[in-house]
Amino acid sequence: MFAGKECSRALALLSFKPQDINGNLEGLDESELAILEDWEYKFIDKYPKVGQLVPEQRTQQIEHSQEDNFEPE
């Protein structure tokens, strides 16, 4: 359910509701942010970081940058 998605809000709220599966932290109180921080530490301890989610626009910029730097042999 959370794979490949920004799910910070859902984790902070301990929610499986589709509308909570996003990265919007607005309106969360201190206890909910503490829950999110606890999840972060659990994940850091258990799983090695193997990648990073980036917005699609940034991905396109990187691709264009790589194309601009490409020099044919």
Side-chain angles (χ1 to χ4, degrees):
M1 173 179 262
F2 296 152
K5 299 178 184 173
E6 169 53 88
C7 59
S8 296
R9 184 175 193 82
L11 291 173
L13 297 173
L14 302 174
S15 170
F16 291 107
K17 296 176 184 175
Q19 65 267 25
D20 290 332
I21 301 175
N22 62 66
N24 183 357
L25 302 179
E26 277 186 48
L28 297 181
D29 62 32
E30 284 187 41
S31 66
E32 292 163 336
L33 292 173
I35 291 170
L36 179 59
E37 186 175 53
D38 186 50
W39 276 112
E40 180 182 11
Y41 292 137
K42 286 178 186 176
F43 290 138
I44 288 170
D45 287 342
K46 189 169 184 173
Y47 303 105
K49 184 176 180 178
V50 296
Q52 181 175 345
L53 295 176
V54 294
E56 188 173 333
Q57 182 180 16
R58 182 170 174 203
T59 303
Q60 290 173 349
Q61 288 174 346
I62 291 170
E63 289 171 359
H64 290 300
S65 175
Q66 290 171 345
E67 289 171 3
D68 292 342
N69 292 330
F70 177 74
E71 294 180 20
E73 295 179 18

